[in-house]
Amino acid sequence: MRWLHRCPSCGATYAIEPGRYLCDACGTRNAPGLPLEGVLECVWEGDGGEARKIAEAGGVPLPVEAEYFPPLPVGDTPLWEPERLREALDAPNLFLKDDTCEPSGSYKDRASWLVAAFARKHGIREIALASTGNAASSMSCVGAAAGLKITVFLPAAAPAAKRIQVLQYGAELREVRGTYDQAFDESLAYSAATGVLSRNTAYNPLTIEGKKTASFEIARQLAGAGAAFRAPDHVFVPTGDGVIIAGVVKGFEDLAALGLVDRVPIFWAAQAEGSSAIVRALETGRFEPRPSATIADSISVDVPRNGSFALAKLKKHGGRGVMVSDEEILSAQRMLSSNSGLFAEPSSACAFAGYLKARPSIGRGETVVVMLTGSGLKDIKSAALAVGARL
Ligand SMILES: *Cc1c(COP(=O)(O)O)cnc(C)c1O
């Protein structure tokens, strides 16, 4: 099966090969303080017959062959049917997609897994990246299983658990005295100077493609008797850089293109009030940089790197935005834990808080999936705050 990168803005196509990140033409429009331009998409060539066969056999069509994926169990995560929560909310068709149980404890493993497979296919030995914490712990985890050297650029303020994971997995940690946005620039400079493969989110197109795999799982998990796939009505996604939401929309686009589902669900970008660039751009049509401030560190970004790409995808399919306060995030975190048994970090609780806020515009019987992307154990400080406990 043959794959290409395509620029969604100008339609230019490129081979999927080491050293290829942004579109040559559109990538030159990049300006500091704004989302990346020229972010590329992965597309298959031909009518998709082979992709359909892979999906129908229980797999996900991806641009790297299965034999290159590192030996650790990424994806195929559970879809919870939280009985008590459903009763409490009178929402009989509420589901929770649980990526807290990924190997490193977050959704990022889906992208790291694909990037590591690409590295193995091309004989690449080292991967570098910037991260707010989870991408770093994830790439380090997958790198440990794959035997790859991982160099991470992490803001010194990242939650301790995520930093300790990086060290446990044996990656090289470069602490950045500054924000994630500074770490992003420093890691790109390192990759440019050394030629090391970059896993920076959105910049490397495989980070978006890797995150589509949950869509195939959800559609399969929701299918009742007689059907192989079914799309939910609504999906709530915690959103920072906008890579997860773009990837999951792409997954449903693929499924629809293959005729396996009848539509792309309504996607809700859930953001914290203090880091809400994508939700605001959905309303105004423009990105306005603003320093971020939220307790939900994984979705705290000044500049949403994949903002333009994600916005285009959301607009194409009637996506919506919902903003919640840090207080709403912490109270949603506790409500979720105590009514379902699923303890998620603040970013994920943001998606659940977004759902709670959006409920008036959702029908009682509609099928809703809330994506819970990171384990609550990754940020005990915030979780302690939510229950009024001292550490
Ligand atoms: C990275 C991350 C997100 C947000 O993903 P983006 O692609 O930045 O929008 C949400 N939840 C968790 C746990 C994350 O690590």
Side-chain angles (χ1 to χ4, degrees):
M1 189 172 169
R2 297 228 330 128
W3 288 76
L4 288 170
H5 283 320
R6 189 178 58 204
C7 175
S9 302
C10 73
T13 57
Y14 303 93
I16 299 181
E17 61 191 9
R20 167 57 57 194
Y21 297 104
L22 303 178
C23 170
D24 285 341
C26 302
T28 59
R29 292 205 307 264
N30 275 307
L34 287 173
L36 287 171
E37 294 300 327
V39 171
L40 295 172
E41 187 161 24
C42 300
V43 293
W44 58 68
E45 282 190 303
D47 66 359
E50 218 173 315
R52 188 177 304 105
K53 259 188 233 149
I54 291 169
E56 281 172 344
V60 180
L62 288 168
V64 181
E65 295 77 4
E67 72 225 60
Y68 296 108
F69 282 80
L72 77 172
V74 173
D76 283 328
T77 59
L79 188 69
W80 292 38
E81 303 188 28
E83 208 172 284
R84 289 190 55 238
L85 202 56
R86 286 174 169 186
E87 274 167 25
L89 297 171
D90 191 27
N93 294 318
L94 173 65
F95 294 85
L96 308 174
K97 182 64 171 166
D98 176 14
D99 267 61
T100 70
C101 59
E102 292 283 7
S104 84
S106 92
Y107 197 93
K108 297 286 192 290
D109 290 357
R110 295 176 182 270
S112 301
W113 208 38
L114 179 59
V115 174
F118 175 82
R120 279 154 61 105
K121 176 174 175 173
H122 293 280
I124 292 167
R125 312 276 322 147
E126 182 180 349
I127 298 173
L129 75 156
S131 169
T132 62
N134 279 338
S137 47
S138 168
M139 193 70 248
S140 305
C141 167
V142 174
L148 295 162
K149 178 176 187 225
I150 308 298
T151 304
V152 309
F153 293 78
L154 197 65
K162 302 179 182 183
R163 190 165 37 96
I164 302 304
Q165 279 186 290
V166 167
L167 297 170
Q168 273 285 340
Y169 295 131
E172 186 178 330
L173 174 63
R174 304 217 179 173
E175 269 188 340
V176 176
R177 305 249 156 251
T179 63
Y180 167 58
D181 301 82
Q182 275 160 284
F184 200 95
D185 294 340
E186 280 185 34
S187 90
L188 282 192
Y190 175 81
S191 283
T194 57
V196 162
L197 178 68
S198 172
R199 183 225 177 272
N200 275 13
T201 201
Y203 181 72
N204 183 329
L206 297 177
T207 58
I208 307 171
E209 189 69 6
K211 285 176 176 163
K212 81 177 185 186
T213 54
S215 309
F216 286 75
E217 295 166 21
I218 290 168
R220 226 174 256 130
Q221 287 165 320
L222 286 176
F229 297 89
R230 185 168 74 86
D233 297 303
H234 300 269
V235 182
F236 285 80
V237 186
T239 301
D241 277 316
V243 176
I244 296 182
I245 198 162
V248 182
V249 172
K250 166 72 157 55
F252 276 100
E253 284 179 342
D254 282 2
L255 285 160
L258 297 173
L260 299 172
V261 299
D262 56 1
R263 72 205 132 85
V264 173
I266 295 173
F267 275 87
W268 294 78
Q271 295 204 288
E273 279 170 2
S275 177
S276 54
I278 291 179
V279 172
R280 283 186 282 120
L282 261 171
E283 287 162 11
T284 65
R286 301 185 284 127
F287 284 99
E288 288 152 36
R290 213 185 263 182
S292 68
T294 167
I295 196 162
D297 65 287
S298 307
I299 50 172
S300 179
V301 301
D302 296 352
V303 183
R305 298 294 161 169
N306 203 37
S308 301
F309 185 112
L311 192 65
K313 284 247 179 280
L314 288 170
K315 282 191 169 158
K316 188 167 170 191
H317 300 289
R320 302 178 196 172
V322 59
M323 242 189 264
V324 294
S325 67
D326 279 6
E327 292 70 38
E328 288 171 310
I329 289 174
L330 290 179
S331 108
Q333 182 184 41
R334 182 154 180 222
M335 177 178 187
L336 180 66
S337 306
S338 60
N339 283 282
S340 74
L342 211 166
F343 177 29
E345 63 156 75
S347 61
S348 306
C350 174
F352 183 60
Y355 163 66
L356 294 178
K357 194 166 238 180
R359 278 177 68 221
S361 52
I362 293 175
R364 179 178 180 273
E366 290 191 285
T367 301
V368 176
V369 175
V370 179
M371 314 260 317
L372 299 170
T373 46
S375 163
L377 292 173
K378 279 176 165 276
D379 184 3
I380 287 300
K381 222 162 110 188
S382 305
L385 214 61
V387 294
R390 272 189 305 148
L391 276 187

